[in-house]
Amino acid sequence: MEKRSCVVCAATFYVLPQCPNQIYCSARQCQQVRKNRWQREARKDPDYQENQVRAQQRWRASHPDYWRTYRAEHAEYTQKNRELQASRNAKRHKKP
Ligand SMILES: [Zn+2]
């Protein structure tokens, strides 16, 4: 089995025969970095974006009261989020 060093933590690991291009070790933090990088790239893919939009629409349609209930049960979060959104909106409207 081939040994490599992880691109994140530099630890030595054995390359799985099923994953010959493996460059990350199996440590939780390194797998999280791999996933984050993958998602960052995937978000640029129009097919992925379209699929995400459809999946989110489906989820919202099958859970119509989720956010209403969440906001009712988390008043502190809701208030903080409203303030942050108001400041984001103000910042956006300032730009030319
Ligand atoms: Zn690693």
Side-chain angles (χ1 to χ4, degrees), residues 34-87:
R34 180 185 64 78
K35 185 182 173 186
N36 290 346
R37 287 176 181 171
W38 180 86
Q39 276 184 327
R40 201 173 306 140
E41 286 309 304
R43 280 194 291 262
K44 297 173 189 168
D45 177 2
D47 287 339
Y48 180 84
Q49 290 171 355
E50 202 183 301
N51 190 41
Q52 286 296 99
V53 167
R54 266 185 282 126
Q56 287 161 3
Q57 284 171 343
R58 259 197 321 273
W59 190 88
R60 280 198 306 272
S62 61
H63 301 81
D65 292 327
Y66 177 84
W67 285 110
R68 190 171 300 128
T69 308
Y70 185 89
R71 285 190 296 266
E73 291 172 355
H74 299 81
E76 207 173 290
Y77 162 83
T78 305
Q79 184 56 36
K80 189 177 175 200
N81 190 47
R82 284 192 178 131
E83 289 164 12
L84 289 171
Q85 187 60 50
S87 76

Coordinates of all heavy atoms in Angstrom, one line a residue, residues 34-87:
R34 N -11.7 18.9 3.4 CA -11.9 18.4 2.0 C -13.4 18.7 1.6 O -13.6 19.1 0.5 CB -11.7 16.8 2.1 CG -12.0 16.1 0.7 CD -11.8 14.6 0.9 NE -12.9 14.1 1.7 CZ -14.1 13.8 1.4 NH1 -14.5 14.2 0.2 NH2 -15.0 13.3 2.2
K35 N -14.3 18.4 2.5 CA -15.7 18.7 2.2 C -16.0 20.2 1.9 O -16.7 20.5 1.0 CB -16.6 18.2 3.4 CG -18.0 18.3 3.1 CD -18.8 17.9 4.3 CE -20.3 18.1 4.1 NZ -21.1 17.9 5.3
N36 N -15.4 21.0 2.8 CA -15.6 22.5 2.6 C -15.1 22.9 1.2 O -15.7 23.7 0.5 CB -14.9 23.3 3.7 CG -15.6 23.1 5.0 OD1 -16.7 22.7 5.1 ND2 -14.9 23.5 6.1
R37 N -13.9 22.4 0.8 CA -13.3 22.8 -0.5 C -14.2 22.2 -1.6 O -14.4 22.9 -2.6 CB -11.9 22.2 -0.6 CG -10.9 22.9 0.3 CD -9.5 22.3 0.2 NE -8.6 23.1 1.1 CZ -7.4 22.7 1.4 NH1 -6.9 21.6 0.9 NH2 -6.6 23.4 2.1
W38 N -14.7 21.0 -1.4 CA -15.5 20.4 -2.5 C -16.8 21.3 -2.6 O -17.2 21.6 -3.7 CB -15.9 19.0 -2.1 CG -16.8 18.4 -3.1 CD1 -16.4 17.8 -4.3 CD2 -18.2 18.4 -3.1 NE1 -17.5 17.4 -5.0 CE2 -18.7 17.8 -4.3 CE3 -19.2 18.9 -2.3 CZ2 -20.0 17.6 -4.7 CZ3 -20.5 18.8 -2.6 CH2 -20.9 18.1 -3.8
Q39 N -17.4 21.7 -1.5 CA -18.7 22.4 -1.5 C -18.4 23.8 -2.2 O -19.3 24.3 -2.9 CB -19.3 22.6 -0.2 CG -20.1 21.4 0.2 CD -20.8 21.6 1.5 OE1 -20.3 22.2 2.4 NE2 -22.0 21.0 1.7
R40 N -17.3 24.4 -1.9 CA -17.0 25.7 -2.4 C -16.9 25.6 -4.0 O -17.4 26.5 -4.7 CB -15.6 26.2 -1.9 CG -15.5 27.7 -2.0 CD -14.2 28.2 -1.3 NE -14.2 27.8 0.1 CZ -13.0 27.4 0.7 NH1 -11.9 27.4 0.1 NH2 -13.1 27.0 2.0
E41 N -16.3 24.5 -4.5 CA -16.2 24.3 -5.9 C -17.6 24.0 -6.5 O -18.0 24.5 -7.5 CB -15.2 23.2 -6.2 CG -13.8 23.6 -6.1 CD -13.4 24.9 -6.8 OE1 -13.7 25.0 -8.0 OE2 -13.0 25.8 -6.2
A42 N -18.4 23.1 -5.7 CA -19.7 22.7 -6.2 C -20.6 23.9 -6.4 O -21.5 23.9 -7.3 CB -20.3 21.7 -5.3
R43 N -20.5 24.9 -5.5 CA -21.4 26.0 -5.6 C -21.3 26.8 -6.9 O -22.1 27.5 -7.3 CB -21.2 26.9 -4.4 CG -21.9 26.4 -3.1 CD -22.0 27.5 -2.1 NE -20.7 27.8 -1.5 CZ -20.2 27.3 -0.4 NH1 -21.0 26.5 0.4 NH2 -19.0 27.6 0.1
K44 N -20.1 26.6 -7.5 CA -19.9 27.3 -8.8 C -20.5 26.6 -10.0 O -20.7 27.1 -11.1 CB -18.4 27.5 -9.1 CG -17.7 28.3 -8.1 CD -16.2 28.2 -8.3 CE -15.4 28.9 -7.2 NZ -14.0 28.6 -7.3
D45 N -20.9 25.3 -9.7 CA -21.5 24.5 -10.8 C -23.0 24.8 -11.0 O -23.8 24.6 -10.0 CB -21.3 23.0 -10.4 CG -21.9 22.0 -11.3 OD1 -22.5 22.5 -12.4 OD2 -21.8 20.8 -11.1
P46 N -23.4 25.2 -12.2 CA -24.8 25.6 -12.4 C -25.8 24.5 -12.1 O -26.9 24.7 -11.6 CB -24.9 26.1 -13.8 CG -23.5 26.1 -14.3 CD -22.6 25.5 -13.3
D47 N -25.4 23.2 -12.5 CA -26.3 22.1 -12.3 C -26.5 21.8 -10.8 O -27.6 21.6 -10.3 CB -25.7 20.8 -12.9 CG -25.8 20.8 -14.4 OD1 -26.6 21.5 -14.9 OD2 -25.0 20.1 -15.0
Y48 N -25.4 22.0 -10.0 CA -25.5 21.8 -8.5 C -26.4 22.9 -7.9 O -27.2 22.6 -7.1 CB -24.1 21.9 -7.9 CG -24.0 21.7 -6.4 CD1 -24.0 20.4 -5.9 CD2 -24.0 22.8 -5.6 CE1 -24.0 20.3 -4.5 CE2 -24.0 22.6 -4.2 CZ -23.9 21.4 -3.7 OH -23.9 21.2 -2.3
Q49 N -26.2 24.2 -8.4 CA -27.0 25.3 -7.9 C -28.5 25.0 -8.1 O -29.3 25.2 -7.3 CB -26.6 26.6 -8.6 CG -25.2 27.1 -8.2 CD -24.8 28.3 -9.0 OE1 -25.5 28.7 -10.0 NE2 -23.7 28.8 -8.7
E50 N -28.8 24.6 -9.4 CA -30.2 24.3 -9.8 C -30.8 23.2 -8.9 O -31.9 23.3 -8.4 CB -30.2 23.9 -11.2 CG -31.5 24.2 -11.9 CD -31.4 23.7 -13.4 OE1 -30.5 24.2 -14.1 OE2 -32.2 22.8 -13.7
N51 N -30.0 22.2 -8.7 CA -30.4 21.0 -7.9 C -30.7 21.5 -6.4 O -31.7 21.1 -5.8 CB -29.4 19.9 -8.0 CG -30.0 18.6 -7.3 OD1 -31.1 18.3 -7.5 ND2 -29.2 18.0 -6.6
Q52 N -29.8 22.3 -5.9 CA -29.9 22.8 -4.5 C -31.2 23.6 -4.4 O -32.0 23.5 -3.4 CB -28.7 23.7 -4.1 CG -27.5 22.9 -3.9 CD -27.6 22.0 -2.7 OE1 -27.9 20.8 -2.8 NE2 -27.5 22.5 -1.5
V53 N -31.5 24.5 -5.4 CA -32.7 25.3 -5.4 C -33.9 24.4 -5.3 O -34.8 24.6 -4.5 CB -32.7 26.3 -6.6 CG1 -34.1 26.9 -6.7 CG2 -31.6 27.4 -6.5
R54 N -33.9 23.4 -6.2 CA -35.1 22.5 -6.3 C -35.3 21.7 -5.0 O -36.4 21.6 -4.5 CB -35.0 21.6 -7.4 CG -35.7 22.1 -8.7 CD -35.7 21.1 -9.8 NE -34.4 21.2 -10.5 CZ -33.6 20.1 -10.7 NH1 -33.9 18.9 -10.3 NH2 -32.4 20.3 -11.3
A55 N -34.1 21.3 -4.4 CA -34.2 20.5 -3.2 C -34.7 21.4 -2.0 O -35.5 20.9 -1.2 CB -32.8 19.9 -2.8
Q56 N -34.3 22.6 -2.0 CA -34.7 23.5 -0.9 C -36.2 23.9 -1.1 O -36.9 24.0 -0.1 CB -33.8 24.8 -0.9 CG -32.4 24.5 -0.4 CD -31.4 25.5 -0.7 OE1 -31.7 26.5 -1.3 NE2 -30.2 25.3 -0.3
Q57 N -36.6 24.1 -2.3 CA -38.0 24.4 -2.5 C -38.9 23.2 -2.1 O -39.9 23.4 -1.4 CB -38.3 24.7 -4.0 CG -37.8 26.0 -4.5 CD -37.9 26.2 -6.0 OE1 -38.0 25.2 -6.7 NE2 -37.8 27.4 -6.5
R58 N -38.5 22.0 -2.4 CA -39.2 20.8 -2.0 C -39.3 20.7 -0.5 O -40.3 20.4 0.1 CB -38.5 19.5 -2.6 CG -39.1 18.9 -3.8 CD -38.7 17.5 -4.0 NE -37.3 17.2 -3.8 CZ -36.3 17.4 -4.7 NH1 -36.6 17.8 -5.9 NH2 -35.1 17.1 -4.3
W59 N -38.1 21.0 0.2 CA -38.1 20.9 1.6 C -39.0 21.9 2.2 O -39.8 21.6 3.2 CB -36.6 21.1 2.1 CG -36.5 20.7 3.6 CD1 -36.3 19.5 4.1 CD2 -36.7 21.7 4.7 NE1 -36.3 19.6 5.5 CE2 -36.6 20.9 5.9 CE3 -37.0 23.0 4.7 CZ2 -36.7 21.5 7.1 CZ3 -37.2 23.6 6.0 CH2 -37.0 22.8 7.2
R60 N -38.9 23.2 1.7 CA -39.8 24.2 2.3 C -41.3 23.9 2.1 O -42.1 24.1 3.0 CB -39.5 25.6 1.6 CG -38.3 26.2 2.2 CD -38.3 27.7 1.8 NE -38.4 28.0 0.4 CZ -37.4 28.0 -0.4 NH1 -36.1 27.9 0.0 NH2 -37.6 28.3 -1.7
A61 N -41.6 23.3 0.9 CA -43.0 22.9 0.7 C -43.5 21.8 1.6 O -44.7 21.8 2.0 CB -43.2 22.4 -0.8
S62 N -42.6 20.9 2.0 CA -43.0 19.8 2.9 C -42.9 20.2 4.4 O -43.3 19.4 5.2 CB -42.2 18.5 2.6 OG -40.8 18.7 2.8
H63 N -42.3 21.3 4.7 CA -42.2 21.8 6.1 C -42.6 23.3 6.1 O -41.8 24.2 6.5 CB -40.7 21.7 6.6 CG -40.2 20.3 6.6 ND1 -39.6 19.7 5.4 CD2 -40.1 19.4 7.5 CE1 -39.2 18.5 5.7 NE2 -39.5 18.3 7.0
P64 N -43.9 23.6 5.8 CA -44.3 25.0 5.6 C -44.2 25.8 6.9 O -44.0 27.0 6.8 CB -45.7 24.9 5.2 CG -46.2 23.5 5.6 CD -44.9 22.6 5.6
D65 N -44.3 25.2 8.1 CA -44.3 26.0 9.3 C -42.9 26.0 10.0 O -42.8 26.5 11.1 CB -45.4 25.5 10.3 CG -46.7 25.8 9.7 OD1 -46.9 26.8 9.0 OD2 -47.6 25.0 9.9
Y66 N -41.9 25.4 9.4 CA -40.6 25.2 10.2 C -40.1 26.5 10.7 O -39.8 26.7 11.9 CB -39.6 24.5 9.3 CG -38.3 24.4 10.0 CD1 -38.0 23.3 10.8 CD2 -37.3 25.4 9.8 CE1 -36.8 23.3 11.5 CE2 -36.1 25.3 10.5 CZ -35.8 24.2 11.3 OH -34.7 24.1 12.0
W67 N -39.9 27.5 9.8 CA -39.3 28.8 10.2 C -40.2 29.6 11.1 O -39.7 30.2 12.0 CB -38.8 29.6 9.0 CG -37.6 29.0 8.4 CD1 -37.5 28.3 7.3 CD2 -36.3 28.9 9.1 NE1 -36.2 27.8 7.1 CE2 -35.4 28.2 8.2 CE3 -35.8 29.4 10.3 CZ2 -34.1 28.0 8.5 CZ3 -34.5 29.1 10.6 CH2 -33.6 28.4 9.7
R68 N -41.5 29.5 10.9 CA -42.5 30.2 11.7 C -42.3 29.7 13.2 O -42.2 30.5 14.1 CB -43.9 30.1 11.2 CG -44.9 31.0 11.9 CD -46.2 30.9 11.2 NE -46.1 31.4 9.8 CZ -46.6 30.7 8.8 NH1 -47.2 29.5 8.9 NH2 -46.4 31.1 7.5
T69 N -42.3 28.4 13.3 CA -42.2 27.7 14.6 C -40.8 28.0 15.2 O -40.7 28.3 16.4 CB -42.4 26.2 14.5 OG1 -43.6 25.9 13.7 CG2 -42.4 25.5 15.8
Y70 N -39.8 27.9 14.4 CA -38.4 28.2 14.9 C -38.3 29.6 15.5 O -37.8 29.8 16.6 CB -37.4 28.0 13.8 CG -36.0 28.1 14.3 CD1 -35.3 27.0 14.8 CD2 -35.3 29.3 14.3 CE1 -34.0 27.1 15.3 CE2 -34.0 29.5 14.8 CZ -33.4 28.3 15.3 OH -32.1 28.5 15.8
R71 N -38.8 30.6 14.7 CA -38.7 32.0 15.2 C -39.6 32.2 16.5 O -39.1 32.9 17.4 CB -39.2 32.9 14.1 CG -38.2 33.1 13.0 CD -38.6 34.2 12.1 NE -39.8 34.0 11.3 CZ -39.8 33.4 10.1 NH1 -38.7 33.1 9.5 NH2 -41.0 33.2 9.5
A72 N -40.7 31.5 16.6 CA -41.5 31.6 17.8 C -40.8 31.0 19.0 O -41.0 31.5 20.1 CB -42.9 30.9 17.5
E73 N -40.1 30.0 18.8 CA -39.4 29.3 19.9 C -38.0 29.8 20.2 O -37.4 29.5 21.2 CB -39.3 27.8 19.6 CG -40.6 27.1 19.6 CD -40.5 25.6 19.1 OE1 -39.4 25.2 18.6 OE2 -41.6 25.0 19.1
H74 N -37.5 30.7 19.3 CA -36.1 31.2 19.5 C -36.1 32.8 19.4 O -35.5 33.3 18.5 CB -35.1 30.6 18.5 CG -35.0 29.1 18.7 ND1 -35.9 28.3 18.1 CD2 -34.1 28.4 19.3 CE1 -35.5 27.0 18.4 NE2 -34.4 27.1 19.1
A75 N -36.8 33.4 20.3 CA -37.0 34.9 20.2 C -35.7 35.6 20.2 O -35.6 36.6 19.5 CB -37.9 35.3 21.4
E76 N -34.8 35.2 21.0 CA -33.5 35.9 21.1 C -32.7 35.8 19.8 O -32.2 36.8 19.3 CB -32.6 35.2 22.2 CG -31.6 36.1 22.9 CD -31.0 35.4 24.1 OE1 -31.7 35.2 25.1 OE2 -29.8 35.1 23.9
Y77 N -32.7 34.6 19.2 CA -32.0 34.4 17.9 C -32.7 35.3 16.9 O -32.1 36.0 16.1 CB -32.1 33.0 17.5 CG -31.9 32.8 16.0 CD1 -30.6 32.8 15.5 CD2 -32.9 32.8 15.1 CE1 -30.3 32.7 14.1 CE2 -32.7 32.7 13.7 CZ -31.4 32.7 13.3 OH -31.2 32.6 11.9
T78 N -34.1 35.3 16.9 CA -34.8 36.1 15.9 C -34.5 37.6 16.0 O -34.3 38.2 15.0 CB -36.3 35.8 16.1 OG1 -36.6 34.4 16.1 CG2 -37.2 36.5 15.1
Q79 N -34.5 38.1 17.2 CA -34.2 39.5 17.4 C -32.8 39.8 16.9 O -32.6 40.8 16.2 CB -34.3 39.9 18.9 CG -34.2 41.3 19.2 CD -35.1 42.2 18.4 OE1 -36.3 41.8 18.1 NE2 -34.7 43.4 17.9
K80 N -31.8 39.0 17.3 CA -30.4 39.3 16.9 C -30.3 39.2 15.3 O -29.6 40.0 14.7 CB -29.5 38.2 17.5 CG -28.0 38.5 17.3 CD -27.1 37.6 18.0 CE -25.7 37.8 17.7 NZ -24.8 36.7 17.9
N81 N -31.0 38.2 14.7 CA -30.9 38.1 13.3 C -31.5 39.3 12.6 O -31.0 39.7 11.6 CB -31.6 36.8 12.9 CG -31.4 36.5 11.4 OD1 -30.2 36.5 10.9 ND2 -32.4 36.2 10.7
R82 N -32.6 39.8 13.1 CA -33.3 41.0 12.5 C -32.3 42.2 12.6 O -32.2 42.9 11.6 CB -34.6 41.3 13.3 CG -35.7 40.4 12.9 CD -37.0 40.8 13.4 NE -38.0 39.8 12.9 CZ -38.9 39.3 13.6 NH1 -39.1 39.6 14.9 NH2 -39.8 38.4 13.1
E83 N -31.6 42.3 13.7 CA -30.7 43.5 13.8 C -29.5 43.3 12.8 O -29.2 44.3 12.1 CB -30.1 43.5 15.2 CG -31.2 44.0 16.2 CD -30.8 43.7 17.7 OE1 -29.6 43.4 17.9 OE2 -31.7 43.9 18.5
L84 N -29.0 42.1 12.7 CA -27.9 41.9 11.8 C -28.3 42.1 10.4 O -27.6 42.6 9.6 CB -27.3 40.4 12.0 CG -26.5 40.2 13.3 CD1 -26.2 38.7 13.5 CD2 -25.3 41.0 13.3
Q85 N -29.5 41.6 10.0 CA -30.0 41.7 8.7 C -30.2 43.2 8.3 O -29.9 43.7 7.2 CB -31.3 40.9 8.4 CG -31.7 40.9 7.0 CD -30.7 40.3 6.1 OE1 -30.2 39.2 6.3 NE2 -30.3 41.0 5.0
A86 N -30.7 44.0 9.3 CA -31.0 45.4 9.1 C -29.6 46.1 8.8 O -29.5 46.9 7.9 CB -31.7 46.0 10.3
S87 N -28.6 45.7 9.5 CA -27.3 46.3 9.3 C -26.7 45.9 8.0 O -26.1 46.7 7.3 CB -26.3 46.1 10.5 OG -25.8 44.8 10.4

